[in-house]
């Protein structure tokens, strides 16, 4: 019993000692707060890892869109302010209004020849700040054709068309009464050049019309094989390599539904067109001529068969009014080359001192002219020896 009491007394003493220590520590802390001029020790900031680099400034660059070259754009303005990008062709009903808008500052327009000659005030072109507008009212089948917008490149007041950036559209104005684009001409003469494709402009007002090509005499429909002859609804018929048998009177026939109509007549005249100007060669019978002798100067040139070459001469005797005497001829070249040699011979009878000098021959065809020259020396007659 006394042992148990003794043990409880020790535990009470230990607890009292602990409480006393806690009280002493709390009083000491309060004294530190109450002492004037005493400041708590500041906390050291955490240092970042040091580097040799100075302070880094981060600059946020604004996103800049790459400048894109402005492309010419042609659109059709529809009803209620709607826009439609045009393709190669569009259809507009006769009587409706055609309105085209072309982006560019400024732009220039090209319209079918009929409208350029006389539009009766129906055509209006306006240039705004960033685009141009073409408006055509009270349209008819005759307005069918190609409409082109050309952006202009300007330096100060000097402007020129940028043909490489042009945009175009072929506009059909279907007319239930006129299948062909109307014309005041009854016939048209077209030259068939042997070296150039020939176009018969049988233009129709509707792309739905079926078009054929016919010869007037003998009456026959020509074969359109797409090699020798082809058809484009925007251009008409093209004869790609004209030949003599293509010449004559031709016309087109268009049919759509129950309607069938003929075009004007096209009078085709074949011309064997040269590929290049002639290259003349000049040669004299003598380079040194004695006074009183006769002189022959020949100028010749090769060319296509049936292609005329015209010769002209420049010679010393012209200065005193001596008239030229020439002989011209054409000689076919054998061997199946379809070529011929044309030549002109200048005759100078009884040469005199004034005939000395340069002789020039010029040969010309439909492609151009070229010249060749030679020099003639005139010497006096030898004096007869005395017997």
């Amino acid at each position: 019993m006394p042992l148990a009491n003794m043990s409880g007394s020790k535990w009470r003493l230990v607890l009292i000692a602990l409480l006393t220590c806690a009280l002493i520590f709390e009083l000491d802390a309060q004294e530190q707060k109450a002492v004037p001029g005493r400041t708590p020790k500041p906390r050291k900031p955490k240092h970042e890892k040091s580097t040799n680099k100075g302070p880094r400034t981060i600059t946020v660059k604004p996103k800049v869109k790459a400048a894109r070259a402005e492309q010419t754009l042609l659109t059709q303005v529809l009803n209620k302010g709607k826009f439609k990008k045009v393709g190669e062709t569009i259809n507009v009903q006769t009587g409706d209004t055609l309105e085209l808008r072309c982006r560019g500052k400024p732009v220039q327009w090209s319209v079918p020849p009929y409208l350029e000659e006389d539009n009766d005030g129906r055509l209006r072109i306006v240039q705004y700040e960033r685009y141009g507008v073409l408006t055509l009212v009270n349209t008819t089948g005759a307005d069918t054709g190609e409409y082109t917008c050309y952006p202009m490149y300007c330096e100060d007041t000097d402007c020129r068309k940028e043909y490489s950036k042009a945009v175009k559209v072929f506009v059909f104005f279907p007319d239930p009464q006129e299948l062909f684009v109307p014309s005041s001409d009854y016939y048209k003469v077209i030259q068939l050049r042997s070296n150039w494709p020939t176009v018969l402009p049988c233009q129709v007002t509707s792309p739905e019309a079926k078009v054929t090509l016919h010869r007037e005499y003998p009456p026959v429909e020509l074969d359109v094989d797409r090699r020798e002859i082809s058809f484009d609804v925007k251009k008409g018929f093209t004869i790609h390599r004209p030949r003599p048998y293509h010449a004559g009177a031709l016309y087109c026939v268009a049919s759509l539904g129950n309607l069938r109509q003929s075009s004007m007549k096209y009078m085709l005249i074949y011309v064997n067109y040269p590929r290049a100007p002639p290259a003349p060669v000049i040669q004299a019978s003598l380079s040194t001529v004695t006074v009183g002798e006769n002189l022959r100067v020949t100028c010749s040139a090769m060319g296509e068969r049936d292609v005329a070459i015209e010769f002209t001469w420049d010679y010393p005797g012209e200065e005193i009014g001596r008239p030229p005497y020439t002989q011209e001829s054409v000689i076919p070249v054998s061997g199946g080359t379809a070529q011929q040699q044309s030549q002109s011979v200048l005759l100078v009878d009884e040469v005199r001192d004034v005939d000395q000098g340069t002789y020039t021959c010029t040969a010309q065809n439909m492609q151009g002219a070229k010249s060749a020259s030679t020099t003639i020396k005139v010497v006096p007659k030898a004096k007869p020896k005395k017997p």
Side-chain angles (χ1 to χ4, degrees):
M1 188 70 182
L3 184 59
N5 292 337
M6 185 71 177
S7 178
S9 299
K10 287 182 179 180
W11 282 111
R12 281 195 295 270
L13 288 173
V14 172
L15 181 60
I16 292 169
L18 291 173
L19 291 173
T20 303
C21 291
L23 180 62
I24 292 171
F25 280 115
E26 184 176 353
L27 290 174
D28 185 59
Q30 289 179 357
E31 281 183 341
Q32 288 182 5
K33 291 181 181 180
V35 175
R38 193 172 182 179
T39 57
K41 195 173 182 180
R43 296 177 62 185
K44 293 183 179 180
K46 293 182 179 179
H47 293 286
E48 296 180 358
K49 293 182 180 179
S50 61
T51 59
N52 295 330
K53 297 180 181 180
R56 185 176 62 178
T57 304
I58 300 176
T59 305
V60 180
K61 297 182 180 180
K63 293 183 179 180
V64 180
K65 292 183 178 180
R68 184 177 61 182
E70 188 171 354
Q71 185 178 4
T72 308
L73 181 65
L74 186 62
T75 56
Q76 181 185 6
V77 182
L78 305 176
N79 295 332
K80 299 179 181 180
K82 295 182 179 179
F83 300 89
K84 178 183 177 182
K85 186 177 179 181
V86 301
E88 292 185 1
T89 64
I90 58 175
N91 289 2
V92 177
Q93 292 299 318
T94 53
D96 289 353
T97 297
L98 170 68
E99 186 173 349
L100 299 175
R101 177 179 290 190
C102 183
R103 185 169 63 189
K105 47 180 183 179
V107 298
Q108 199 169 83
W109 295 88
S110 173
V111 298
Y114 166 76
L115 285 173
E116 290 182 350
E117 296 170 1
D118 183 18
N119 60 51
D120 299 329
R122 299 182 298 114
L123 178 65
R124 183 169 178 260
I125 295 175
V126 180
Q127 178 66 48
Y128 294 96
E129 182 180 358
R130 300 187 63 182
Y131 60 89
V133 176
L134 179 148
T135 306
L136 181 64
V137 300
N138 300 327
T139 56
T140 67
D143 300 324
T144 297
E146 192 171 73
Y147 294 75
T148 307
C149 171
Y150 298 96
M152 304 293 288
Y153 176 76
C154 297
E155 293 180 353
D156 296 330
T157 57
D158 183 24
C159 296
R160 64 178 183 271
K161 293 180 181 178
E162 293 191 272
Y163 289 93
S164 60
K165 297 181 180 179
V167 286
K168 59 185 67 176
V169 60
F170 196 95
V171 185
F172 291 98
F173 295 91
D175 189 334
Q177 304 299 326
E178 293 285 351
L179 295 182
F180 288 103
V181 176
S183 174
S184 58
D185 298 327
Y186 178 72
Y187 69 92
K188 183 177 182 179
V189 177
I190 296 179
Q191 191 179 82
L192 289 170
R193 291 170 50 168
S194 58
N195 66 333
W196 199 259
T198 299
V199 176
L200 280 63
C202 300
Q203 289 187 343
V204 289
T205 61
S206 172
E208 304 298 327
K210 180 183 177 181
V211 188
T212 53
L213 182 62
H214 299 256
R215 182 179 296 278
E216 187 175 40
Y217 183 81
V220 63
E221 179 181 340
L222 299 184
D223 182 30
V224 180
D225 56 5
R226 298 183 182 181
R227 293 190 303 271
E228 187 174 331
I229 302 177
S230 64
F231 177 73
D232 184 341
V233 72
K234 297 178 293 183
K235 295 170 55 178
F237 289 97
T238 300
I239 302 176
H240 295 280
R241 298 189 64 185
R243 292 293 180 263
Y245 57 81
H246 290 130
L250 274 65
Y251 63 95
C252 304
V253 174
S255 56
L256 182 62
N258 297 325
L259 186 61
R260 179 182 171 92
Q261 292 180 343
S262 298
S263 70
M264 71 166 73
K265 289 183 174 59
Y266 299 97
M267 310 301 295
L268 305 185
I269 301 175
Y270 180 79
V271 178
N272 194 3
Y273 215 82
R275 297 179 181 178
V281 177
I282 193 169
Q283 185 177 9
S285 57
L286 296 169
S287 58
T288 301
V289 187
T290 303
V291 172
E293 291 183 337
N294 296 332
L295 175 67
R296 291 168 56 91
V297 184
T298 303
C299 182
S300 59
M302 296 292 294
E304 291 88 346
R305 191 165 295 180
D306 299 327
V307 175
I309 296 178
E310 182 179 343
F311 295 94
T312 55
W313 289 90
D314 293 319
Y315 54 97
E318 280 184 307
E319 297 179 2
I320 62 170
R322 184 162 185 166
Y325 295 99
T326 59
Q327 294 177 347
E328 296 187 357
S329 60
V330 177
I331 305 172
V333 177
S334 59
T337 59
Q339 287 190 320
Q340 63 186 18
Q341 184 184 52
S342 302
Q343 69 176 21
S344 175
V345 180
L346 178 66
L347 304 174
V348 183
D349 295 334
E350 298 180 356
V351 170
R352 293 178 284 177
D353 292 335
V354 295
D355 295 317
Q356 177 173 289
T358 301
Y359 289 72
T360 301
C361 160
T362 300
Q364 181 175 359
N365 62 16
M366 289 180 287
Q367 283 281 36
K370 288 186 178 181
S371 300
S373 300
T374 186
T375 301
I376 303 299
K377 182 179 180 181
V378 177
V379 296
K381 283 184 179 182
K383 294 181 179 180
K385 293 180 179 182
K386 293 183 180 179

